[in-house]
Amino acid sequence: MAERTGGRHRASGLTELLARELRARGRQVDVEHLHVHLPRVLEAADTSTGARA
């Protein structure tokens, strides 16, 4: 069964990668993740139809 998180984990991961690359190029970067203290809401996907439960 596949679970979806609405892309939130992907967005924060890409933000961190971008920040790391910019720092390597000599830029000062501050990253603040909003709502990181809230739990993720996972949606179970119906793998037979691709519909969300």
Side-chain angles (χ1 to χ4, degrees), residues 6-7 11-12 16 32 35 39 43 52:
S12 60
E16 290 296 333
E32 180 179 357
H35 302 87
E43 298 175 7
R52 292 182 183 183

Side-chain angles (χ1 to χ4, degrees), residues 15-42:
T15 300
E16 290 296 333
L17 289 172
L18 178 59
R20 185 183 309 160
E21 181 63 29
L22 289 170
R23 288 181 188 116
R25 294 177 183 215
R27 306 290 281 191
Q28 181 180 349
V29 179
D30 294 321
V31 175
E32 180 179 357
H33 295 285
L34 303 177
H35 302 87
V36 72
H37 63 284
L38 297 176
R40 285 192 218 167
V41 177
L42 299 179

Side-chain angles (χ1 to χ4, degrees), residues 1-10 40-47 50-53:
M1 178 181 292
E3 294 180 315
R4 299 177 189 201
T5 60
R8 286 187 282 170
H9 65 290
R10 187 177 314 128
R40 285 192 218 167
V41 177
L42 299 179
E43 298 175 7
D46 181 348
T47 57
R52 292 182 183 183

